[in-house]
């Protein structure tokens, strides 16, 4: 799809909410497609990251699906089914489940997490192609200011 060329003045009048929504959907779809080609899903990767003491988990302590949903609430999408995704990882031997329903990452799961993480820079590079860091930083600062202008706090 080719983007219609419009003037800077016309762009300045465009609704930010529309473009941030379009950008979000396009970027998430791209990331998920790239990960699918590598044989995993974004929610599977998040499960591994949230359970690994070598990544997001501070202590590597097991968590229930409910606890994981709470931990990931700011980035889970409505279609993400952590129970189904965890079942795939259990079958692969990357997770185990204890008698209390807590999921634990296995050694092979942590090795897989580290391997999957190695692909993130290449995916980021594709998304940032043709955008220099200064422009990217400016765009993020603009978005942060818009967030503040609406009475919210950027994270």
């Amino acid at each position: 799809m080719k983007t219609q060329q419009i003037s800077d003045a016309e762009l300045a009048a465009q609704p930010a909410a529309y473009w941030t929504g379009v950008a979000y959907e396009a970027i998430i779809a791209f990331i998920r497609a790239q990960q699918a080609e590598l044989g995993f899903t974004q929610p599977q990767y998040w499960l591994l990251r949230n359970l690994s003491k070598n990544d997001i988990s501070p202590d590597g302590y097991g968590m229930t699906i409910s606890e994981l949903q709470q931990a990931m609430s700011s980035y889970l999408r409505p279609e993400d089914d952590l129970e189904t995704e965890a079942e795939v990882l259990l079958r692969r031997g990357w997770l185990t489940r204890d008698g209390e329903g807590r999921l634990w990452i296995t050694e092979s799961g942590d090795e897989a997490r580290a391997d999957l993480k190695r692909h993130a820079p290449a995916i980021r590079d594709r998304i940032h192609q043709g955008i220099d860091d200064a422009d990217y930083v400016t765009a993020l600062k603009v978005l942060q200011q818009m967030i503040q202008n609406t009475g919210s706090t950027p994270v």
Side-chain angles (χ1 to χ4, degrees):
M1 183 169 103
K2 190 166 183 141
T3 305
Q4 179 183 359
Q5 294 295 334
I6 59 176
S7 70
D8 286 356
E10 291 169 312
L11 275 174
Q14 294 281 312
Y18 170 77
W19 287 107
T20 56
V22 170
Y24 172 78
E25 292 298 331
I27 292 167
I28 292 297
F30 177 80
I31 290 169
R32 289 183 175 213
Q34 295 295 299
Q35 291 173 331
E37 287 182 15
L38 297 166
F40 67 98
T41 68
Q42 193 172 45
Q44 289 168 359
Y45 181 53
W46 291 336
L47 284 165
L48 295 172
R49 292 193 69 204
N50 275 274
L51 292 168
S52 174
K53 67 182 177 190
N54 299 310
D55 207 321
I56 295 174
S57 175
D59 56 12
Y61 194 76
M63 298 172 75
T64 64
I65 291 293
S66 179
E67 290 168 335
L68 286 158
Q69 286 172 327
Q70 179 61 36
M72 299 181 212
S73 64
S74 67
Y75 48 90
L76 277 177
R77 293 176 55 93
E79 67 270 19
D80 294 340
D81 181 347
L82 291 185
E83 186 64 53
T84 299
E85 301 289 356
E87 288 299 324
V88 172
L89 299 179
L90 287 161
R91 285 193 300 275
R92 289 182 182 171
W94 293 357
L95 297 180
T96 60
R97 189 185 315 251
D98 67 19
E100 296 176 357
R102 291 187 177 283
L103 295 168
W104 298 82
I105 193 168
T106 64
E107 187 175 326
S108 62
D110 206 38
E111 289 169 5
R113 177 206 54 82
D115 185 50
L116 299 173
K117 192 170 189 170
R118 283 191 269 283
H119 295 285
I123 294 170
R124 181 197 184 278
D125 288 349
R126 287 276 312 275
I127 294 168
H128 287 243
Q129 188 175 339
I131 303 166
D132 68 36
D133 286 346
D135 287 343
Y136 180 70
V137 169
T138 298
L140 293 184
K141 286 180 177 181
V142 168
L143 291 173
Q144 289 173 339
Q145 186 62 53
M146 288 180 171
I147 291 166
Q148 288 177 349
N149 291 349
T150 62
S152 293
T153 305
V155 183

